[in-house]
């Protein structure tokens, strides 16, 4: 599919942190039916700093624009020197609500409560918490093959170096996986599910350490 220059740059920037398919879907959601060819420099800046950034913050625990998107914004603003973008005052920021959720993974009831709570959220198909203290699962219609897949993906990512979150899109589902307590927390949702609040909460879950202050 042919993309215009700005659309291509945005997709490439997003593809450095999420899969190409997820990047294309994220940009499509941000456009909300608008034709990319109808946007000028001002329109692209407003899209990137507004809807696109909100969509990205719903997937990854980021507080600012990606470096490549910052560079693109500077280029777009240079094309229109008088361009002044009005910030969206309702745009969520991680700094304003940076509240961590500490979970004692040594306690089986706490592990089970966390997994059950996530599994009850709208659109969630399966949840897996795999830690050094034990594994808790809500697999729904899925079987143990999903556990094998998640463990393999986590190990491959971990071998490449520490990662903060992994996100990908399957044919009918979205997968989010993040490392936790030398293991991982994974959530599988329907493809059309809005991940904003779910992903933000996942990014704030931390293992309770002895002596840690809440």
């Amino acid at each position: 599919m042919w993309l215009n220059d700005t659309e291509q740059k945005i997709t490439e920037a997003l593809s450095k942190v999420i899969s190409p398919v997820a990047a294309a879907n994220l940009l499509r959601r941000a456009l909300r039916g608008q034709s990319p060819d109808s946007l000028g420099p001002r329109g692209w800046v407003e899209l990137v700093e507004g809807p696109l950034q909100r969509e990205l913050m719903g997937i990854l625990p980021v507080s600012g624009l990606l470096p490549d998107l910052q560079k693109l914004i500077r280029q777009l603003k240079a094309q229109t020197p008088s361009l002044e973008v009005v910030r969206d005052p309702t745009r969520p920021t991680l700094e304003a609500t940076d509240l961590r959720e500490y979970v004692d993974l040594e306690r089986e009831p706490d592990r089970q409560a966390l997994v059950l709570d996530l599994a009850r959220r709208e659109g969630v198909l399966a949840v897996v918490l795999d830690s050094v203290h034990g594994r808790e699962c809500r697999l729904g219609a899925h079987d143990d093959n999903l556990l094998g897949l998640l463990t393999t993906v986590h190990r491959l990512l971990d071998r490449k170096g520490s990662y903060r979150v992994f996100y990908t899109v399957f044919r009918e589902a979205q997968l989010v996986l993040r490392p936790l307590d030398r293991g991982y927390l994974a959530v599988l949702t329907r493809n059309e599910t809005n991940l904003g609040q779910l992903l933000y909460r996942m990014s704030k879950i931390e293992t309770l350490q002895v002596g840690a202050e809440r």
Side-chain angles (χ1 to χ4, degrees), residues 24-172:
N25 287 340
L26 188 147
L27 179 55
R28 175 176 51 79
R29 291 199 299 269
L31 285 166
R32 298 174 183 173
Q34 297 180 84
S35 171
D37 295 325
S38 68
L39 298 177
R42 179 186 295 273
W44 278 115
V45 169
E46 292 176 346
L47 179 84
V48 171
E49 294 190 328
L52 184 69
Q53 180 66 5
R54 287 194 293 271
E55 290 286 347
L56 187 60
M57 289 176 66
I59 294 175
L60 300 177
V62 296
S63 58
L65 292 176
L66 300 174
D68 285 357
L69 291 181
Q70 291 178 354
K71 179 180 178 181
L72 178 60
I73 288 297
R74 289 195 295 269
Q75 294 172 349
L76 292 169
K77 288 183 176 180
Q79 296 176 31
T80 310
S82 61
L83 179 61
E84 294 182 359
V85 180
V86 177
R87 299 282 182 173
D88 184 351
T90 65
R91 172 177 160 184
T93 60
L94 295 185
E95 290 80 2
T97 55
D98 191 14
L99 301 176
R100 298 188 181 278
E101 175 183 351
Y102 291 97
V103 180
D104 186 354
L105 296 184
E106 293 187 15
R107 299 187 68 253
E108 183 178 351
D110 288 10
R111 299 197 306 267
Q112 292 178 343
L114 172 61
V115 170
L116 182 59
D117 186 45
L118 292 172
R120 286 172 172 168
R121 289 177 174 261
E122 184 177 358
V124 172
L125 301 174
V127 179
V128 176
L129 171 61
D130 192 4
S131 76
V132 295
H133 304 296
R135 174 187 290 168
E136 307 298 333
C137 308
R138 290 294 184 275
L139 299 179
H142 299 273
D143 55 27
D144 289 344
N145 289 331
L146 177 62
L147 295 177
L149 172 64
L150 295 175
T151 299
T152 298
V153 171
H154 168 69
R155 286 176 178 173
L156 289 174
L157 292 170
D158 197 47
R159 286 174 185 172
K160 292 181 179 180
S162 60
Y163 70 101
R164 296 178 63 188
V165 66
F166 173 76
Y167 170 73
T168 191
V169 178
F170 298 111
R171 178 175 299 178
E172 298 178 353

